[in-house]
Amino acid sequence: MADAEQDQPAGGRFAGREHRFALRVYFEDTDLSGVVYHANYLRYMERARSDMLRVGGIDQRAAFEAGEGSYAIASLAIRYAAPARLDDALVIVSRITQVRAASVAIHQRVMCGGLVLAEADVVAALIAPNGRPRRQPRAWTDIYERLVWQGKHESGSDYG
């Protein structure tokens, strides 16, 4: 494998309809008490959502550069359950829960081993360059719909 290929950042992966994104807690992520600062969970989730879209086949950068717009967070509800600490290996698990014409709802969990540290429900809306909501490209909604239904077909339940 060429050096350039080896030097690429690690990406997440899909396991059924869930996207899994691993990361490690660094000193810069913690506060004076030695636990992850609350706002950093939002950063972790943002990285995981961006990676989920990229791995799923959605090129946000190309859409932005073509003047088609970009996603903005329309709503966010987060619940903290337990702290992450320096050097913890975390996994952010993201799952599409609803697709609408101009937005997508995503449920995310920050996990350490089998323990849920935080979870959030996020709605991201596609915003045109003029700041107004716009319909998502059909190719994107097709990807999202496939992810919403994929786990249901595999397991027969909503939580496949």
Side-chain angles (χ1 to χ4, degrees), residues 53 58-60 63-64 67-74 100-104 123-138 140-141 144:
L53 298 182
I58 294 171
D59 190 339
Q60 294 185 92
F64 177 77
E68 296 174 10
S70 58
Y71 281 114
I73 300 304
R100 293 192 162 176
S103 66
V104 60
V123 175
L126 188 62
I127 305 297
N130 66 5
R132 301 187 71 165
R134 68 167 296 173
R135 284 183 147 336
Q136 299 177 94
R138 183 67 197 167
W140 292 12
T141 57
Y144 293 142

Side-chain angles (χ1 to χ4, degrees), residues 22-42:
L23 59 86
R24 181 152 321 270
V25 174
Y26 294 103
F27 185 78
E28 67 184 13
D29 298 324
T30 62
D31 61 19
L32 290 174
S33 67
V35 301
V36 170
Y37 180 65
H38 72 279
N40 286 332
Y41 290 91
L42 299 175

Side-chain angles (χ1 to χ4, degrees), residues 97-124:
T97 58
Q98 186 178 44
V99 182
R100 293 192 162 176
S103 66
V104 60
I106 305 163
H107 180 77
Q108 295 186 280
R109 297 184 320 268
V110 178
M111 311 284 296
C112 186
L115 181 64
V116 176
L117 304 181
E119 60 184 326
D121 291 301
V122 181
V123 175

